[in-house]
Every structure is written in structure tokens, then in C-alpha cells.
Amino acid sequence: MNMPEPREEIKNFSPYTAGMSIEEVKEKYNLKDVVKLASNENICGTSVKAVKSMKKEFDSIFMYPQSRNKRLISRIASKNSVEEEMVITGNGTDEIIELIAKTFLSPQDNIVVSENSFIRYKMAARLMGAGVKEIPQKDFTHSLSGLVAAIDNKTKIHFIDNPCNPTGNYLNRAEIEKIIKEAGKLATPPLIVLDEAYFEYVDAEDFLSGIKFLSGKKNLKEDAPVMVLRTFSKIAGLAGLRIGYGISSKGIIELIERIRPPFNTNRLAQAAALGAMDDDKFMRDTKNLILKEKDFLYRQLKKIGVTYEKSQTNFLLINPKGIDIKAFCEYSLKNGVILRPLNGYNLSGHLRVTVGRRKDNKKFISLLKEFLK
Amino acid sequence: MNMPEPREEIKNFSPYTAGMSIEEVKEKYNLKDVVKLASNENICGTSVKAVKSMKKEFDSIFMYPQSRNKRLISRIASKNSVEEEMVITGNGTDEIIELIAKTFLSPQDNIVVSENSFIRYKMAARLMGAGVKEIPQKDFTHSLSGLVAAIDNKTKIHFIDNPCNPTGNYLNRAEIEKIIKEAGKLATPPLIVLDEAYFEYVDAEDFLSGIKFLSGKKNLKEDAPVMVLRTFSKIAGLAGLRIGYGISSKGIIELIERIRPPFNTNRLAQAAALGAMDDDKFMRDTKNLILKEKDFLYRQLKKIGVTYEKSQTNFLLINPKGIDIKAFCEYSLKNGVILRPLNGYNLSGHLRVTVGRRKDNKKFISLLKEFLK
């Protein structure tokens, strides 16, 4: 069959490699019990209130969703003390990342990212033919000086995942402020996109959410413009439904809204997100469990001599020296634990593991111990 | 707040205007009973098997969906007698339309569409900066000679909705074959995208699905390449969940898959689509009901002297002469019937109405009668 020529950008485009799902692993390895510690999902499941709210929407699934669901947008706005016109929802924040790229990036532009940031930022830029300035990390943390120095007059977007995925580290209040102030001094300041997917797990006292720059009109003229991304895929336990949101100035949201597909978020995701926002207890309990289990993992890893990065999220970056990570992931998979080998990152020898329930964490540690022998 | 300059394409981009939902109309007009005859949804609701299959997936919504759901892809492939690598699923076919544009269209390219085709084809092309060659229709039908003549060496994609939305008309077997053969004679044949969203409602005996060119390797070297789009939003009653699919050659699907967002279709949509494909009875019953109700509407419209186009879909394009369509839609809205005024189409004086259940159709006809007086 004939084939039209794809765009230049597509010719060498590397697709995202999704990890295996529990269903796929069960089938491939003929296993009954499989746990996934690979995608930083909420290991406690989903909020009961979210599920309840979703069930009420059943009779309506034959109808298209509301394009901008008024109740949801208004709830997100009030929760974050911003105006409704400052909110956009997406089919996961993944979609919002791409919408931002499609709104602003042309081949003559570039984006600045940290080398070990979430890989989808780079993919979104490459999709639009824009350049990617990847700044090496220092000690598994975003390099503040490196990032600030890299932003130039062709930089349209600076994506920062804070906390950072996959290292679990973060930039503190002073560092975030510095980036926003310094970038603001440029003739054409870039949009600073703060991806706060793991925001709800943070316990560092000097962490600053980008929302601070958006609520109450605190994003000053001399600052670079800010956009914050949040998701219902992590602590809210709705990864399978696909819903996230972005908050920025009205002007920026209006531009991105022009190209938002009209029915991008589905009815059940909209309803579940509304329910999840009413369930502070579920999120608090999850956070407390993760803090406790993170401590458990820290202690166990220390015991077996495996180094790790202190994490502000529900995952840990660990460095089990002297073993073949790919082989360990394969071994672990066959034993019913799905892990993330970090292909495509400059983190060879490292592994990202989601903090699980006690029995999951014990199983992971015992597999690691066995393999280290 | 500062704002980075958007791309040229975004500066004058007209967003899609989504119609009002039942929820919004109920609230705005303080109504209890509202029916939507605006978006060609399945007025009978959703297949029970789809809902049942969806419910089984509840416990898994905290986990990301499978990126390419093997069971679903394999079921779609076997149902259409094609290979699995020839199938792609999307967050509605709406997303697939945009993925096709992002794979193939650069500013030097153009697409060919019929003037009254689905508006999202043009939007996808404009998003990528490509030109749009819009061919006038003849008697509310795609102009075969016009379309064939318009395709040139810069045409990368020819989108054809067959049956056509919003006219309800269609191109027959000979016409579709002619387009594919004629376009195949060009040095660089365009991709012929046949959007068959309303395929299941067709009863014309000389209708030809584009699948004929894809199953059993019948898309010959001398043909233009073909891609077919199908959706679960219409007869399957899953518009609110967002899922559709595309079928083309392995080479074309492989290119588009490179840029498909990894978790674009949600878990519940995947499960519901699988259930819907097992429910031939639901779809048969819906089709029979629509055929009967279409006849009812034809007769009623004739009685009150309103002209209409014969339709192969679950909607009718009608032309109630001498009334202000916008005013009628507003009147109808206040009386609990949501209609589609067709903004953005070259069809002034026309109205698209979804074929409903008997009581919905009666209500629509009586509102129209009242307004015509």
C-alpha cells in the first residue's frame, strides 16, 4: 500500500514505552498475584467518594461530556483560590503538556528541561519540531544554576517537575522563586510550567507550590509567567480514568483552550474527580501510609546496603550497586512484582520503585535481597 | 502577567463551539425534562453488556490503562477482518483525526474536504498550519468531480465523512472507488480517510465501507492509501466515555502510533467498548428503531411542508423555510429540546435534528409547527 510522507519530526520519533500492566504480566507469566510498583499509582486504590460520584453518572454515558464541566472547573478554581477562567482540564496532565507545546512551540523555539525530568516534556517539544535544552542534574536534583543559565530568548517553555520524577527530589521555595524572577528578566520570558503531579505527597516545609504565584494575582509583571499542572492520577487514585488540570493566567488558558479537543475529558473522570476532591480523609490517610512505608523502605534498604534518594513522592530512586537492573526487573516480574527500569533516562544502575503497602514493600525487599546475593 | 507569543496558527484559531449539555440547559432554563436532539447520540442509551463489562473494571481504575489494550485491539481486528497492527484506538475518533494531522501535515501541505463535512477535519489541518481546500457540495452531497479535481500533489489527506455529517447523505460504492482509484494515479497519493461514524445506521444497498480496501489486503498498489474511522460514540452509546478506532495499513498505523499519547483511552472506555462489541442485538434494535422513527419524521415533516434530506444516519438535515433558525433553536431550548443550529457550516436556514424516540420526535414536530405559525 502507498504511504504519504510523514512530517520530518515523525521520521525519527521515538514512541513512549509504556510499562506492562498487571493484566499483561499475569497472562505472560501465568501468575495469580501480581503487584505493580512501577507507575506510582495509589496503592490504596480509589477514594470511595470518587467511585460513588462516578456511579451516579452511569445513566449519562451515552451523551457527550460537558466540554468545560462547570461544576468541576468551579470546584478546582475554588480549591486553589483562583478564578474559573484560569483552569483547564485534560485527558490526564499528559494531554495538557502536549496542548501547551501545540500552543506555543515552533521549530525556531526551544524548551528547557532537566535531564532526568519526565520524558513527555521532551516528546511534546519534539512533536512540534522545537529544540530541547537538557540540563544535567547535580546530585539527582534539578541544577538551579544550570537551568537559569540555559533559558535564552528562544526558550518558550521551561518544564519543571517539582517534585521531580523519577528522582523524588525537589526544588525549594527560594529556588523556584529564583527561576521565576530570573526568567522574568528576559526580553521574552518563557512560560514556567511547574508539574506538581506528586504535590500531595510532599512534606518538606520549604516546598513552594506554583499556585502561590497564581492565586490572588501574585504573578507579578516582573515575574516569568507560571502554569501549574496537577493530576488525579496519583494520590486521588484515578489514573485509569485520565484526568488532570492546569492553572495559569486567564490569557494563557484562553490560548490553550482554543485548541483543546472539545470532549477531551470523559464523563466518568469528571464525576470521579469531583468526588475525589471531597475526600480529604482518603488523601490524608494515603499520605500518612506512604510516609510510614517510605520510612520502612529507607530502613530496610539501609540494612541491605542499598543507597537511595530521599523522596518527596510515593516512589524511591534506588541504586542497588553491582547488579544488572534489567535482569533484576525481569526476575522481579517473574515473581509478580512489576518495576520500572528507567529506560530513556541518564540513570543507569538505578531503579524507581513505587512505595507500596507493607506486604508489597516486604516482597520487593526480599526479592532485592535474593538477587543481591 | 507576561505571556509567551503563541504559534502563528493559534493567533486566529477559532475554537470548536460545543453545544449545551442537558445538565446545562436544565440549570439555565430551570427545566426538569430536557431532551437532546443535537449530538446524534444513541437516544436508547447504552448497551447493557457494555455497562456490565465496564463495571467489572471498577476495581482497577487506580491503575493506568493498558496503552494498547490487547483484548480490545484484537477484538476490533477480528471483527473487521484485519490484522492487529492495522488498528489504533483513540480518545474518540476526534483524537485520531488530530493524530493523523500531526503525523502527516506540514505548512506546505493541504487537505481536501467537502464544505459541509465535519468541522474537526479543518481544525486539525489548521492546527498544523496546513492549507484546507474546501469543495462546494452539490445538492447537499459531496461533489465527486469537485473532490477528485481538487486533490493535487500537495494534498496529504482527503477526509471524507461517509455518510456525511451534517447532511446525512453518502457517497456510494462507485463514487468511493473512483476517489481511491483517481487519487492513486497521482505521483504522491493522499491518504483517503473515510470517517464512518454513522456506518451502523446505513441501509443503502450501494454503500461501500472503506474496510473493503483494508481487509484481505485489497488496498492495491495502484490505489490511494485508505484509513477508516469508526466510533463507539454513536450507535454503541458510549459518547460520554470517549473511544473510537482507526484502521489502515500497518505502515500508516505504525507512524501514527509513534505519537499516540501512551494512555489516551481510559480503562472504562476500553472495557465498555469490548462489551458493546458483544451486543449485536442492542445495535440492531437501535437501528430498527431509528429507521422507523426516521420514517415517522419524514411523514410528519412532509405534512407540515418542511423539506429535508433523505438520511443514512440517525439525524436529519431539515430546511424549515421562512423562519429564523437561531430563534427557533432558542425557542426549542426553552421548551426542553436541544437542537443544533449548524454554526460554522454553509447551511444557513438549515437545522440538524437527531432522530429520537417517538415522544421526542413528536415534541420536536409540535414545537416546529408552533413556531412555523
Side-chain angles (χ1 to χ4, degrees), chain A residues 1-7 10-11 13 15-16 18 21-24 39 41-42 45-46 54-55 57-58 61-67 91 94 98 102-106 120 127-128 156 189 191 219 221 223 225-226 233-234 237-242 248-249 251-252 255 258-259 261-264 266-268, chain B residues 1-7 10-11 13 15-16 18 21-24 39 41-42 45-46 54-55 57-58 61-67 91 94 98 102-106 120 127-128 156 189 191 219 221 223 225-226 233-234 237-242 248-249 251-252 255 258-259 261-264 266-268:
Chain A
M1 185 160 153
N2 288 311
M3 222 158 90
E5 191 85 349
R7 287 197 298 140
I10 306 303
K11 287 183 183 164
F13 202 87
Y16 181 90
S21 65
I22 287 189
E23 295 91 332
E24 287 162 319
S39 306
E41 292 140 344
N42 187 338
T46 304
M54 183 178 84
K55 283 184 178 167
E57 197 62 26
F58 272 6
I61 59 170
F62 70 95
M63 289 184 291
Y64 283 90
Q66 288 184 50
S67 180
N91 192 39
D94 190 59
E98 205 183 292
K102 285 188 287 201
T103 302
F104 294 108
L105 297 179
S106 298
R120 296 283 297 156
L127 179 70
M128 300 311 293
K156 277 283 181 69
L191 178 64
N219 205 171
K221 249 196 168 160
D223 295 339
V226 172
S233 294
K234 303 302 178 187
L238 299 176
L241 286 187
R242 318 303 303 123
S248 189
S249 70
I252 285 169
L255 284 177
R258 293 183 192 179
I259 59 164
F263 306 112
N264 60 329
N266 69 81
R267 275 192 176 262
L268 299 188
Chain B
M1 186 160 153
N2 288 311
M3 220 158 92
E5 190 84 349
R7 286 197 301 139
I10 305 304
K11 287 183 186 166
F13 202 87
Y16 182 89
S21 66
I22 287 189
E23 294 92 332
E24 287 161 318
S39 306
E41 292 141 344
N42 187 338
T46 304
M54 182 179 83
K55 284 184 178 167
E57 196 64 24
F58 273 5
I61 59 170
F62 70 95
M63 287 185 292
Y64 282 91
Q66 288 184 52
S67 181
N91 191 39
D94 190 60
E98 205 183 292
K102 285 187 287 203
T103 302
F104 294 108
L105 296 179
S106 297
R120 296 282 298 153
L127 179 71
M128 300 311 292
K156 276 283 181 68
L191 178 63
N219 205 171
K221 248 193 171 166
D223 295 339
V226 172
S233 294
K234 304 300 178 189
L238 299 176
L241 287 186
R242 320 300 304 125
S248 189
S249 70
I252 285 169
L255 284 177
R258 291 183 192 179
I259 59 163
F263 306 112
N264 60 330
N266 69 81
R267 275 190 177 263
L268 299 187

Side-chain angles (χ1 to χ4, degrees), chain B residues 24-90:
Chain B
E24 287 161 318
V25 173
K26 276 185 181 169
E27 199 179 306
K28 185 170 173 189
Y29 296 99
N30 196 22
L31 293 168
K32 267 191 186 163
D33 282 324
V34 175
V35 63
K36 193 170 158 211
L37 300 178
S39 306
N40 310 333
E41 292 141 344
N42 187 338
I43 210 85
C44 306
T46 304
S47 132
V48 175
K49 286 191 183 172
V51 173
K52 219 168 149 182
S53 164
M54 182 179 83
K55 284 184 178 167
K56 283 192 196 147
E57 196 64 24
F58 273 5
D59 292 342
S60 304
I61 59 170
F62 70 95
M63 287 185 292
Y64 282 91
Q66 288 184 52
S67 181
R68 260 179 82 83
N69 184 312
K70 181 136 177 69
R71 274 182 66 212
L72 178 60
I73 296 273
S74 137
R75 185 81 175 79
I76 292 170
S78 70
K79 195 181 166 83
N80 291 289
S81 307
V82 298
E83 293 173 73
E84 289 180 19
E85 295 85 351
M86 296 170 71
V87 178
I88 186 169
T89 52

Side-chain angles (χ1 to χ4, degrees), chain A residues 4 29 33 49 90 111 127 143 190 214 239 254 290 294 299 303 324 331 341 364 373:
Chain A
Y29 296 99
D33 282 325
K49 286 191 184 172
I111 68 162
L127 179 70
S143 158
L214 293 162
E254 188 274 321
I290 293 300
K294 224 168 9 182
R299 290 196 310 273
K303 255 191 210 166
D324 178 344
Y331 172 75
F364 165 71
K373 269 180 202 161

